[in-house]
Amino acid sequence: MAVLPNRESQLLIDGKLVAGSGGTYTTINPATEEVLGVAADATAEDMGRAIEAARRAFDDTDWSTNTELRVRCLRQLQTALKDNLEELRELTIAEVGAPRMLTSGGQLETPIEDLSVAADTAENYQWATDLGYATPQGIPTNRRVVREAVGVVGAITPWNFPHQINLAKIGPALAAGNTLVLKPAPDTPWCAGALAELIAEHTDFPPGVVNIVTSSDHGVGALLSEDPRVDMVSFTGSTATGRAVMTAAAATIKKVFLELGGKSAFLVLDDADLAGACSMAGFTASMHAGQGCAITTRLVVPRARYDEAVEAAAATMGSLKPGDPNDPRTVCGPVISARQRDRVQGYLDLAVTEGGRFACGGGRPADRDKGFFIEPTVVAGLTNDARVAREEIFGPVLTVIAHDGDDDAVRIANDSPYGLSGTVFSADPERADRVAARLRVGTVNINGGIWYSGDMPFGGYKQSGIGREMGLAGFEEYTEIKAIATAAN
């Protein structure tokens, strides 16, 4: 792999690293606003070639049935990623603005380790289930159910955790026997381009099995939803874009996986360690500048201790000054772009208009004239009806809301179009379990438990998506079920 700076990434189409027909476009360091380098800029024609290559590789080779080859290729990719770990770390910090500390976890190292889950699952999976002999309608029959690959998968991914989300789609989809076209976000093309290089140069993936197409044009990715040669689209991003993906996919009735937005609630019950819980909520909301769909951004606390809760959250968030993501002590780096910074600032301005106040933060840090930074901000004085409490902001913003007991806390948490994640803190584990069971969400953290792991399913209820990523459920998203009945003699 080339070293920073002056990197130039390419497309991976049909097993070859190639230039984009649209030339190149620049990628920016969000912490400094400096141009890092360029990435291949694909056109609709390039995407068409990638889809055709994936279609051919699925239809005309034994990839979908050769489990041994699939496992070997995934393990080769994992080895190549580990061998280039330090360069990938520097690239991720520079392009994503990800704090260095997070690259030891979900930003880089953990998703690389989790490739083993996909490979192991494919290697040990029970592809066929014998249902035995029966006489349906009086006819002696031997029956079995088999799992098969869906076909060509179009994967569309965002910029906030590019390695985690790219690999969470690539690993299971390929392990299950599909071929794939990945369209990453325009903001982070290098992360995907590095993956393309490693696949092309260090693995035995056959041509066309995995294709990676970077482009500054979101419309190029939209082609994956529309093209009849694509059997499934796997999308992670905003709920608004997810609706568009689902609408476009409806024309060909293709399978759709959607992991979308969130406005998750952090419930502090009246017997909890209030200061400790609110401090954790503030830390969580500040990580990676709040750019995580499952981050808890509504802190729901007992009304009688509201001011104390606001003070505790603000003490933590106010101490987490936005900083250089290269610094190993930094928790809150920049947001990805000027556009995103302005969007977050628009919500902060709206918070004031809606009657809220800032217990800390509220805008751009005074000591940073470069970079797309926003101060970690605690918003107080609003109810769950405020737009700032209902809409996904994707910045380091925590809204504190009062509750009047467990039932009210659950009501507030569930009073949202989203249902991705949630947290419950209580001194009584059984009470916490009862509250967690009532939350209409896909993941729950009780008293600081960690649900993020390659063998755990991730996804949401309601407008947070359809289906699950990771774990056995995530692997099976990329399969179809076939029932086979053979007449018995």
Side-chain angles (χ1 to χ4, degrees), residues 250-323:
T252 52
I253 319 294
K254 58 171 54 71
K255 193 172 185 180
V256 174
F257 167 82
L258 301 174
E259 195 274 287
L260 308 176
K263 193 69 178 180
S264 302
F266 190 120
L267 306 187
V268 182
L269 306 188
D270 60 17
D271 64 345
D273 171 5
L274 185 82
C278 293
S279 178
M280 180 175 288
F283 183 88
T284 301
S286 303
M287 273 196 315
H288 191 32
Q291 297 171 114
C293 53
I295 288 176
T296 43
T297 54
R298 291 182 293 153
L299 176 58
V300 185
V301 301
R303 188 177 302 278
R305 302 181 70 185
Y306 184 83
D307 291 342
E308 184 184 348
V310 170
E311 182 179 348
T316 295
M317 292 187 77
S319 70
L320 298 174
K321 303 299 183 184

Side-chain angles (χ1 to χ4, degrees), residues 72-299:
R72 182 173 82 245
C73 289
L74 285 172
R75 298 204 193 285
Q76 289 172 336
L77 175 58
Q78 184 181 51
T79 297
L81 288 164
K82 288 182 175 180
D83 289 345
N84 290 273
L85 182 64
E86 293 312 313
E87 183 180 56
L88 288 167
R89 192 187 314 280
E90 299 307 317
L91 183 154
T92 305
I93 294 166
E95 184 175 56
V96 184
R100 181 174 293 275
M101 68 165 59
L102 295 184
T103 64
S104 297
Q107 278 288 5
L108 183 61
E109 292 189 30
T110 299
I112 292 173
E113 290 296 330
D114 285 345
L115 275 176
S116 293
V117 176
D120 292 347
T121 301
E123 197 168 41
N124 300 304
Y125 191 66
Q126 185 175 330
W127 297 94
T129 301
D130 186 0
L131 295 186
Y133 174 85
T135 56
Q137 301 179 51
I139 299 174
T141 304
N142 292 315
R143 303 158 307 142
R144 67 187 188 276
V145 175
V146 299
R147 288 270 187 173
E148 298 178 342
V150 174
V152 175
V153 173
I156 307 170
T157 58
W159 41 260
N160 57 325
F161 282 79
H163 298 298
Q164 193 278 316
I165 301 169
N166 289 344
L167 294 177
K169 296 186 187 301
I170 285 175
L174 297 178
N178 301 281
T179 59
L180 178 137
V181 180
L182 170 67
K183 169 58 174 69
D187 305 86
T188 51
W190 278 7
C191 291
L195 193 60
E197 288 180 39
L198 296 176
I199 289 170
E201 298 172 358
H202 298 282
T203 74
D204 296 328
F205 281 104
V209 164
V210 54
N211 306 269
I212 298 177
V213 180
T214 60
S215 177
S216 62
D217 182 0
H218 288 281
V220 170
L223 297 173
L224 291 168
S225 303
E226 303 166 2
D227 198 300
R229 295 172 293 180
V230 175
D231 300 294
M232 174 180 177
V233 60
S234 179
F235 171 80
T236 298
S238 72
T239 296
T241 305
R243 290 190 190 98
V245 167
M246 198 172 186
T247 299
T252 52
I253 319 294
K254 58 171 54 71
K255 193 172 185 180
V256 174
F257 167 82
L258 301 174
E259 195 274 287
L260 308 176
K263 193 69 178 180
S264 302
F266 190 120
L267 306 187
V268 182
L269 306 188
D270 60 17
D271 64 345
D273 171 5
L274 185 82
C278 293
S279 178
M280 180 175 288
F283 183 88
T284 301
S286 303
M287 273 196 315
H288 191 32
Q291 297 171 114
C293 53
I295 288 176
T296 43
T297 54
R298 291 182 293 153
L299 176 58

Side-chain angles (χ1 to χ4, degrees), residues 99 278-291 295-297 310-324 329-335 341 344-345 348 351 357-368 372-380 393-400:
C278 293
S279 178
M280 180 175 288
F283 183 88
T284 301
S286 303
M287 273 196 315
H288 191 32
Q291 297 171 114
I295 288 176
T296 43
T297 54
V310 170
E311 182 179 348
T316 295
M317 292 187 77
S319 70
L320 298 174
K321 303 299 183 184
D324 180 359
R329 298 167 298 179
T330 294
V331 173
C332 181
V335 296
R341 180 193 61 203
V344 176
Q345 186 63 61
L348 295 178
R357 60 180 176 85
F358 302 134
C360 67
R364 297 181 63 175
D367 62 342
R368 294 198 171 269
F372 309 127
F373 292 96
I374 287 283
E375 297 171 304
T377 301
V378 172
V379 179
I393 297 174
F394 232 61
V397 182
L398 182 67
T399 304
V400 187

